[in-house]
Amino acid sequence: QVRLAESGGGLVQAGGSLRLSCVASGRTFGFGSYDMGWFRRAPGKEREFVGGMRSDGTTIYASDSMKDRFAISRDSAERTMFLQLNRLKTEDTAVYSCAARVRSLLHLNIPRYSYWGQGTQVTVSS
């Protein structure tokens, strides 16, 4: 069993930054064996893939805009994945969730993840 817990959300003005954390727990968990994803859900919208990191450390992002403004990293010793959000826009307002699954050939944007966190709210004001 793997548990994920996000933190770091909050209220920020447009143009600001936030760093989200996703802490993984569970005896079997190790980044070397799991693919990870970040998703978000804005009010009234479908869940959206933001980006992810494969077990080998390769990162991908959903769009060029996200790749230019966001950065995914991890601290294996702390079993924590980060999502750095820069130059935030009002349309980035959403609940951000991390997800994990045993490494596979699935593209990271396919939301067939075994484990999900509860999410952390990011609100960007104009």
Side-chain angles (χ1 to χ4, degrees):
Q1 183 74 9
V2 174
R3 283 191 288 271
L4 303 173
E6 304 93 336
S7 62
L11 174 64
V12 63
Q13 286 191 322
S17 297
L18 284 172
R19 188 173 83 155
L20 308 184
S21 299
C22 170
V23 180
S25 61
R27 284 192 302 172
T28 63
F29 183 85
F31 280 122
S33 299
Y34 282 78
D35 293 332
M36 307 290 293
W38 281 103
F39 291 79
R40 69 185 184 184
R41 188 191 296 271
K45 294 189 177 181
E46 297 289 319
R47 182 171 55 197
E48 176 186 27
F49 175 68
V50 174
M53 180 178 282
R54 289 209 174 275
S55 58
D56 66 0
T58 304
T59 55
I60 65 167
Y61 299 88
S63 66
D64 288 341
S65 172
M66 291 184 186
K67 184 177 181 180
D68 288 342
R69 299 185 298 121
F70 301 165
I72 296 171
S73 60
R74 71 189 186 193
D75 182 329
S76 295
E78 297 296 325
R79 299 205 288 182
T80 302
M81 179 175 66
F82 302 99
L83 177 63
Q84 178 70 42
L85 305 171
N86 299 318
R87 304 200 308 277
L88 282 161
K89 305 176 181 180
T90 55
E91 53 262 43
D92 294 319
T93 294
V95 175
Y96 286 71
S97 300
C98 62
R101 62 180 171 226
V102 173
R103 64 187 177 195
S104 74
L105 297 179
L106 287 175
H107 195 287
L108 294 178
N109 66 359
I110 297 175
R112 284 163 49 186
Y113 286 83
S114 303
Y115 308 102
W116 292 83
Q118 82 287 351
T120 186
Q121 176 71 47
V122 171
T123 302
V124 185
S125 64
S126 58

